[in-house]
Amino acid sequence: MTWVNQSLSTEFVFLAYPTYSELQVLVFLGISLVYFMILTGNVLIVATIYMEACLHTPMYYLLGSLSIVEIWYTATVVPHILVNTMKRHKANTLLGCATQMLFFIGLGSTDCFLLAVMAYDRYVAICCPLQYPLIMTQKFCINLVVTSMAIGFILSLQLVAFIFHLPFCHSRDIEHFFCDVPPVMRLTCTHSRFHELSVLVAGTLAIALPFLFISISYALITFAILGIHSTSGRRQAFSTCSSHLMVVLLQYGCCMFMYLRPNSSYSPKKDQLLSLVYALGTPLLNPLIYTLRNREVKGALRRVLTRNVFSKKSCP
């Protein structure tokens, strides 16, 4: 009860926003445009997968789940950034900051685990093609998605509870756009090796372990593809993995640089720019990568966009 009462009266003030009104308008319009493109791209992917029977497969079910997670992931911070951009007093309460971090880290961790699940799906499809229909059933896919979300939010809840039970110093000014782990940890009065290691362990479980699983999966996939004698077969196998691999490198590259490093390397200006990359850039590029590099998705999306009310075209 004491923490709740304190959270309602304590505010974090964000210092990363521009102060000139002209620049505020430009930033607001730019972020609004990117956010519109994120929502449009991911909603189109979800709608296309839902409406096209030829995309009712485990791979595209997982892709649709990833798009849904990223819609909610951006919704936790982007509307907050847009509102604060035009406000004079750019602040958030202690409870609001903790809630934002809980969902941002929870959905971001879910994103990482889903990418690992998608790597497993590609491993089974390429290395165990005969067992693929028996292993990757609809029920098993649903369980994988639910488990990914559950683990992501359990890790996030533990991390947020740990951070917000630390004593904060008198200054509550955050050199950032929203409540993220590194800038908030800079405001705590207890800077010790134990606290730094605690955050690093949480980041390892949510980022490093899934990335290790993905690396092992793709190593096995590579060996299996190299064993294919047909050149067209190898090309087709690589094409099914290339889009996912590009998204993995983009997502994990930003996350590892942001969360798996010592506090001594924290740079407010660089981290502000990086935060916009993984909060806006990754959710924007993911649907573009999957639609531009995947023939099935491009074809299905084209049919959905051009189909009239009375026409019914089956999948090729």
Side-chain angles (χ1 to χ4, degrees):
M1 182 64 68
T2 303
W3 190 91
V4 173
N5 292 334
Q6 181 186 7
S7 68
L8 296 176
S9 59
T10 304
E11 283 189 334
F12 290 99
V13 180
F14 303 97
L15 305 179
Y17 293 90
T19 55
Y20 296 103
S21 58
E22 295 84 358
L23 191 55
Q24 288 176 349
V25 173
L26 289 176
V27 171
F28 180 86
L29 293 176
I31 294 179
S32 297
L33 177 62
V34 174
Y35 189 44
F36 174 77
M37 294 171 64
I38 290 171
L39 293 179
T40 302
N42 284 288
V43 168
L44 281 176
I45 286 182
V46 174
T48 301
I49 293 172
Y50 175 78
M51 296 173 64
E52 287 293 309
C54 60
L55 299 184
H56 293 176
T57 62
M59 180 176 71
Y60 295 112
Y61 172 78
L62 295 174
L63 174 59
S65 300
L66 181 70
S67 293
I68 292 173
V69 169
E70 290 194 336
I71 291 172
W72 288 107
Y73 172 74
T74 54
T76 61
V77 293
V78 178
H80 169 81
I81 293 175
L82 291 174
V83 171
N84 271 345
T85 300
M86 303 306 295
K87 284 173 56 179
R88 175 173 296 181
H89 185 60
K90 311 172 193 305
N92 199 354
T93 64
L94 187 67
L95 181 60
C97 193
T99 303
Q100 184 182 62
M101 187 184 294
L102 171 67
F103 283 96
F104 184 70
I105 300 300
L107 291 168
S109 300
T110 302
D111 212 343
C112 291
F113 287 117
L114 279 178
L115 289 174
V117 170
M118 293 173 74
Y120 175 73
D121 172 75
R122 292 299 83 205
Y123 161 76
V124 177
I126 294 174
C127 299
C128 311
L130 298 179
Q131 287 79 30
Y132 183 79
L134 301 177
I135 296 175
M136 298 302 296
T137 62
Q138 183 179 9
K139 181 179 180 181
F140 184 60
C141 290
I142 293 174
N143 289 337
L144 288 175
V145 173
V146 173
T147 302
S148 298
M149 183 167 289
I151 296 175
F153 272 93
I154 288 173
L155 292 174
S156 176
L157 181 61
Q158 293 178 338
L159 179 61
V160 171
F162 168 76
I163 292 175
F164 282 89
H165 275 83
L166 295 175
F168 288 95
C169 298
H170 179 70
S171 175
R172 302 292 173 88
D173 295 340
I174 302 180
E175 296 188 49
H176 210 61
F177 295 102
F178 55 91
C179 295
D180 203 357
V181 175
V184 173
M185 281 294 293
R186 299 276 295 180
L187 301 181
T188 60
C189 298
T190 55
H191 298 287
S192 67
R193 187 66 178 170
F194 170 76
H195 297 100
E196 186 174 336
L197 285 175
S198 299
V199 176
L200 188 61
V201 168
T204 301
L205 293 175
I207 302 171
L209 286 183
F211 184 74
L212 177 62
F213 180 83
I214 292 173
S215 301
I216 295 173
S217 298
Y218 272 105
L220 297 174
I221 289 172
T222 302
F223 285 124
I225 292 176
L226 293 177
I228 300 175
H229 300 291
S230 170
T231 303
S232 61
R234 286 198 299 267
R235 188 182 299 112
Q236 183 179 1
F238 272 120
S239 66
T240 62
C241 301
S242 59
S243 299
H244 177 255
L245 195 55
M246 290 178 63
V247 172
V248 166
L249 294 176
L250 181 65
Q251 173 84 6
Y252 281 90
C254 293
C255 290
M256 287 182 177
F257 183 81
M258 191 69 181
Y259 299 107
L260 299 182
R261 60 175 181 172
N263 287 335
S264 58
S265 63
Y266 177 75
S267 174
K269 296 299 181 183
K270 291 181 180 179
D271 286 7
Q272 290 168 15
L273 179 61
L274 183 63
S275 68
L276 295 180
V277 173
Y278 66 76
L280 293 171
T282 305
L284 173 64
L285 292 177
N286 284 0
L288 291 177
I289 291 173
Y290 277 112
T291 53
L292 293 178
R293 295 183 59 86
N294 190 301
R295 290 184 178 180
E296 286 185 297
V297 176
K298 282 195 297 185
L301 181 60
R302 191 180 301 113
R303 289 191 297 274
V304 169
L305 293 177
T306 58
R307 180 187 299 149
N308 58 49
V309 177
F310 301 102
S311 65
K312 294 182 180 179
K313 295 184 179 181
S314 60
C315 296

